[in-house]
Amino acid sequence: MNIERQLDPEALGDHIDRLYRAAWSLCGSREEAEDLVQETFEKVLRRPRFLHSDDDVGYLLRVLRNTFFSQRRAAGRRPQTTPLPDDIDLIEDRNAAAAESRIESAELYAAIARLPDDFRDALVAIDVVGLSYKEAARVREATITTRLHRARQRVARDLAASDRPPGPSTPPASAARRP
């Protein structure tokens, strides 16, 4: 039998240690954990709460967890700012492509170019251009899905093979230069 009862605001202090430990494990910071527990209590005390069981701690932990995730979502929507360093000459151009990424991109595009036409068309349309499956499908949508899956597998296999050092089946680069 579920009897609905009101959460006793006077008893919230009895659970502060457990909530604080749970908050610290979520946040990773003592100060953020204190703020999270305070925000949780503020939400719970804002209006009367009615519980269907005797599990005050379980209810408070759910409110704490939901408050934590709501704060993280809200923080993720805000633009991130960083202070400028004192030495402006050392600022890295974040829009410039790194040399490694250029090499990786070249390897990726070369692997895509080696695919059979049907697979290459499916992969380029969906992964490179960003079309939906329906937009990319000149044939049945199931066909484009299969081709895309196989194309991704082949590109991944090709890129993984290019990372391996030359083995007995692949002649070293110096052997190709011999007269």
Side-chain angles (χ1 to χ4, degrees):
M1 183 162 140
N2 286 338
I3 298 174
E4 194 171 276
R5 67 176 184 82
Q6 185 173 351
L7 178 68
D8 182 16
E10 300 294 323
L12 291 180
D14 297 344
H15 309 295
I16 196 165
D17 290 337
R18 292 168 109 181
L19 291 175
Y20 176 71
R21 286 193 306 268
W24 197 347
S25 68
L26 285 171
C27 300
S29 159
R30 183 178 57 83
E31 294 81 13
E32 287 182 37
E34 290 171 355
D35 292 343
L36 180 59
V37 170
Q38 185 174 2
E39 178 71 22
T40 301
F41 281 162
E42 188 269 330
K43 281 187 176 186
V44 168
L45 292 173
R46 194 176 298 158
R47 61 183 174 84
R49 304 295 172 140
F50 294 94
L51 306 179
H52 297 286
S53 69
D54 292 333
D55 190 16
D56 291 356
V57 175
Y59 174 77
L60 292 171
L61 286 173
R62 278 193 306 277
V63 173
L64 178 96
R65 180 182 164 276
N66 292 340
T67 303
F68 172 74
F69 287 122
S70 295
Q71 289 175 348
R72 291 293 184 221
R73 276 193 303 272
R77 289 189 295 265
R78 286 186 220 114
Q80 300 296 319
T81 59
T82 55
L84 291 174
D86 294 332
D87 188 6
I88 299 208
D89 294 335
L90 299 178
I91 294 178
E92 178 183 338
D93 182 7
R94 295 177 191 232
N95 294 329
E100 298 86 23
S101 67
R102 287 185 188 144
I103 292 170
E104 290 170 1
S105 294
E107 289 175 8
L108 176 63
Y109 283 113
I112 292 171
R114 288 189 291 271
L115 290 172
D117 291 341
D118 292 340
F119 292 165
R120 184 181 60 244
D121 293 344
L123 188 89
V124 168
I126 294 174
D127 286 346
V128 177
V129 177
L131 298 178
S132 70
Y133 283 63
K134 188 172 186 174
E135 292 170 329
R138 284 182 252 152
V139 291
R140 291 186 4 240
E141 194 168 335
T143 304
I144 196 78
T145 304
T146 303
R147 288 180 183 169
L148 179 63
H149 175 73
R150 290 180 181 163
R152 287 175 178 163
Q153 284 181 325
R154 286 184 182 200
V155 168
R157 213 176 311 126
D158 195 5
L159 290 174
S162 69
D163 289 341
R164 286 189 225 125
S169 62
T170 313
S174 59
R177 291 187 213 134
R178 291 186 194 151

